[in-house]
Amino acid sequence: MIDISTLTIFSARKKLDSKEFSVVELVKTYLDEINRKNKDINAYLEIYNDVLEQAKMADQAITRGEIFPMTGIPIAVKDNILIEGKTATSGSKILKGFVAPYDATVIKKLKSQHAVFLGRANMDEFAMGSSTENSAFGVTKNPLDPTRVAGGSSGGSVASVAMGGALASLGSDTGGSVREPTSFCGLVGLKPTYGGVSRYGLMALGSSLDVIGPVTKTVTDSEILWDAIKGQDKMDSTTYSEDVYPKNKNSKNKSLTIGVPYHILEKGLRGDVRKNFDESIEKLKKLGYKIKDIKLPNIGYSLAVYYIIMPAEASSNLARFDGVKYGLHIDGNDLLSDYLKTRGMGFGEEVRRRILIGTYVLSTGYYEAYYNKAIHLRQTISNDFQKAFTEVNAIALPTTTGPAFKIGEKASDPLALYLEDVFTVPANIVGVPAISIPSGSVNDGGVDLPLGIQFMAPHNCEELLFEIGKKFLGE
Ligand code: GLN
């Protein structure tokens, strides 16, 4: 029996290499666990039929000595990341039955390390949402309390790991979709620097905000998976070359300063959530970090800016789903009614809402009033961060305003769901890396539920986030 409850990528690597167990044995253990739990949790939309075949190949690679950090590591993949020959639907009916014609760059990289892809993880339709309730294929439940959401939009990716159905997974983060669910499920979620990881083969939501990120149990694992997927890619012109990473990685001996924009915590944060955050800050002080109260004067506009830029980009990205090129096709009497019928029936409510908002803010007359203003404010917010990073090394905020909420609790109120993203969207707007790390728990309705603390660093300073995170968790 393999004890997967304590297993990490890091510890599995040693056990696989010393032949304590084989990849096939490891993968079978995960498949058993998935069989037991997935019906209830709905983390996976599909388990691939070649998983054991992949595992055998990984075992052979290990025997040949072709060993990489991710060799034989079983992972789940969000339903918006392409794997050649496999279905990918982005949680949408409009892509039902769509088979990916090529590998996303992150998949190519992981295949070259002989990682094992267990299956396709559920998500909010086209990654729009914070609870995975917007999936066309049913909600994903929180494995820690199945009456609650797992978070979103990468809810399936996160629940697969939290229920013991994968060792790690890939999610995507446009406004918090890796960090919020990991915070709800007690895991580590990284949103890498925009352009740090190739978006080639990731279905686009907001192209200037999207990034693929690792979901893991530990910060050490987050670093391993990030390292495996990062890097410049000729298929994505926004990717950075390796030499942008800070050369001097040895900040370990320096005393670092972490900034806290206390002014945005004053309004509306639950008492117990604030207490948990304050305790985390005390812990950081004890670990030797200096804490500085900083001002990010325009951060309060982040949510408004995000909910203009993201729908604008989404409305244009989703124009390609016209019933001709991909997936679903519903016949009308002519081309226009083909479009209208296919899109009307293929897209869910939230997607249609955002297409409407996006089209509105981009239309003549409103473009100047909304989209252009948002673009200007985005720059202003970025300038605030740049200035703050001249005074502090990293910035800390809670990941969310509260723990996982009940399924259905916010489903009828889109604005309440948008507010979920208040602490996570700034990192996407500015493009800086951010990590969510478990910070303890609060009691909600008689259940202890995890919370997360979020750290942000300047562009390409992921190493600093890993350093702080490891210290914080005592890894
Ligand atoms: N919750 C945010 C939204 O609904 C973020 C989504 C994401 O990061 N993909 O847009």
Side-chain angles (χ1 to χ4, degrees):
M1 255 310 264
I2 305 174
D3 178 13
I4 50 171
S5 65
T6 54
L7 205 64
T8 61
I9 299 179
F10 184 76
S11 67
R13 172 83 284 113
K14 287 191 194 153
K15 291 171 199 268
L16 287 169
D17 297 351
S18 65
K19 308 258 180 188
E20 193 173 309
F21 49 72
S22 67
V23 180
V24 169
E25 286 165 333
L26 179 64
V27 160
K28 279 186 176 160
T29 311
Y30 277 105
L31 291 177
D32 283 349
E33 202 62 12
I34 294 167
N35 260 334
R36 251 196 304 278
K37 307 231 175 100
N38 197 55
K39 238 194 232 106
D40 182 35
I41 301 298
N42 197 30
Y44 284 100
L45 295 176
E46 177 189 358
I47 299 299
Y48 299 134
N49 56 16
D50 63 348
V51 176
L52 286 175
E53 202 49 47
Q54 294 180 53
K56 272 185 210 146
M57 306 267 278
D59 272 327
Q60 286 164 9
I62 292 175
T63 306
R64 288 196 304 273
E66 240 179 78
I67 301 172
F68 304 93
M70 289 299 292
T71 304
I73 302 298
I75 64 168
V77 179
K78 190 172 178 176
D79 190 27
N80 60 355
I81 299 173
L82 305 190
I83 305 181
E84 189 182 344
K86 307 259 191 257
T87 301
T89 68
S90 230
S92 180
K93 273 195 296 201
I94 210 162
L95 279 173
K96 210 169 173 183
F98 172 74
V99 176
Y102 61 90
D103 281 329
T105 296
V106 292
I107 297 298
K108 223 185 231 166
K109 282 175 180 269
L110 289 168
K111 277 187 177 173
S112 75
Q113 294 206 5
H114 313 290
V116 176
F117 306 108
L118 292 168
R120 189 156 67 81
N122 197 16
M123 56 182 282
D124 282 303
E125 187 175 6
F126 287 105
M128 298 177 187
S130 306
S131 60
T132 315
E133 289 167 294
N134 293 334
S135 166
F137 307 109
V139 62
T140 295
K141 297 179 187 166
N142 191 319
L144 307 175
D145 175 0
T147 66
R148 292 172 192 263
V149 300
S153 64
S154 311
S157 302
V158 174
S160 69
V161 180
M163 74 179 190
L167 200 37
S169 65
L170 291 179
S172 65
D173 193 311
T174 304
S177 279
V178 165
R179 288 161 288 158
E180 186 243 22
T182 45
S183 154
F184 281 3
C185 294
L187 297 173
V188 174
L190 174 72
K191 179 209 102 66
T193 303
Y194 176 77
V197 175
S198 171
R199 287 177 291 119
Y200 183 63
L202 166 71
M203 292 185 202
L205 172 55
S207 305
S208 74
L209 304 154
D210 297 340
V211 62
I212 295 173
V215 172
T216 55
K217 293 185 193 171
T218 64
V219 179
T220 306
D221 280 6
S222 184
E223 185 170 12
I224 293 171
L225 186 47
W226 170 74
D227 199 56
I229 60 173
K230 75 178 201 291
Q232 194 169 26
D233 178 15
K234 66 175 189 314
M235 303 308 284
D236 176 357
S237 62
T238 62
T239 50
Y240 286 106
S241 83
E242 291 279 325
D243 33 87
V244 293
Y245 296 110
K247 292 279 174 292
N248 177 17
K249 287 185 179 170
N250 254 337
S251 59
K252 293 208 168 64
N253 303 322
K254 277 190 288 172
S255 155
L256 297 177
T257 305
I258 297 175
V260 181
Y262 278 106
H263 62 101
I264 68 156
L265 298 181
E266 302 309 334
K267 281 174 264 163
L269 198 59
R270 263 172 59 164
D272 51 354
V273 177
R274 175 64 194 261
K275 186 165 168 271
N276 175 278
F277 180 73
D278 288 341
E279 283 166 6
S280 300
I281 295 298
E282 285 309 312
K283 183 171 169 185
L284 288 163
K285 282 186 192 160
K286 285 206 186 91
L287 289 167
Y289 293 104
K290 286 195 203 107
I291 303 294
K292 188 169 178 186
D293 186 0
I294 56 163
K295 296 269 176 296
L296 293 167
N298 298 286
I299 195 174
Y301 297 117
S302 300
L303 207 57
V305 166
Y306 174 81
Y307 277 101
I308 290 173
I309 292 177
M310 183 274 305
E313 293 183 4
S315 70
S316 125
N317 277 324
L318 295 182
R320 75 191 71 186
F321 301 107
D322 56 3
V324 179
K325 299 190 197 77
Y326 309 90
L328 185 74
H329 170 81
I330 297 172
D331 243 344
N333 306 324
D334 51 29
L335 191 59
L336 180 63
S337 50
D338 280 7
Y339 290 164
L340 296 177
K341 281 199 166 153
T342 306
R343 287 168 68 84
M345 293 172 80
F347 287 139
E349 194 181 321
E350 183 60 27
V351 174
R352 281 179 280 140
R353 179 181 298 119
R354 296 206 194 183
I355 291 173
L356 283 175
I357 298 172
T359 312
Y360 180 82
V361 299
L362 288 177
S363 53
T364 315
Y366 298 108
Y367 183 95
E368 293 295 329
Y370 296 102
Y371 184 72
N372 243 359
K373 268 200 192 130
I375 293 293
H376 279 115
L377 262 171
R378 181 180 197 171
Q379 191 54 52
T380 313
I381 297 166
S382 297
N383 295 346
D384 288 351
F385 269 76
Q386 218 160 37
K387 188 160 166 271
F389 282 130
T390 62
E391 298 167 25
V392 297
N393 303 93
I395 295 172
L397 273 178
T399 309
T400 59
T401 54
F405 46 89
K406 293 268 187 190
I407 292 170
E409 190 182 323
K410 301 189 181 182
S412 57
D413 185 356
L415 274 182
L417 264 186
Y418 296 174
L419 279 172
E420 275 300 307
D421 309 324
V422 66
F423 296 136
T424 49
V425 294
N428 301 78
I429 288 175
V430 179
V432 293
I435 196 166
S436 175
I437 289 171
S439 64
S441 59
V442 286
N443 194 282
D444 197 283
V447 205
D448 281 332
L449 297 163
L451 286 177
I453 181 167
Q454 177 188 212
F455 297 104
M456 292 175 263
H459 290 86
N460 301 303
C461 290
E462 275 85 347
E463 300 284 352
L464 186 63
L465 298 179
F466 299 137
E467 186 188 319
I468 298 171
K470 283 180 202 170
K471 263 200 180 171
F472 188 80
L473 288 185
E475 286 179 22

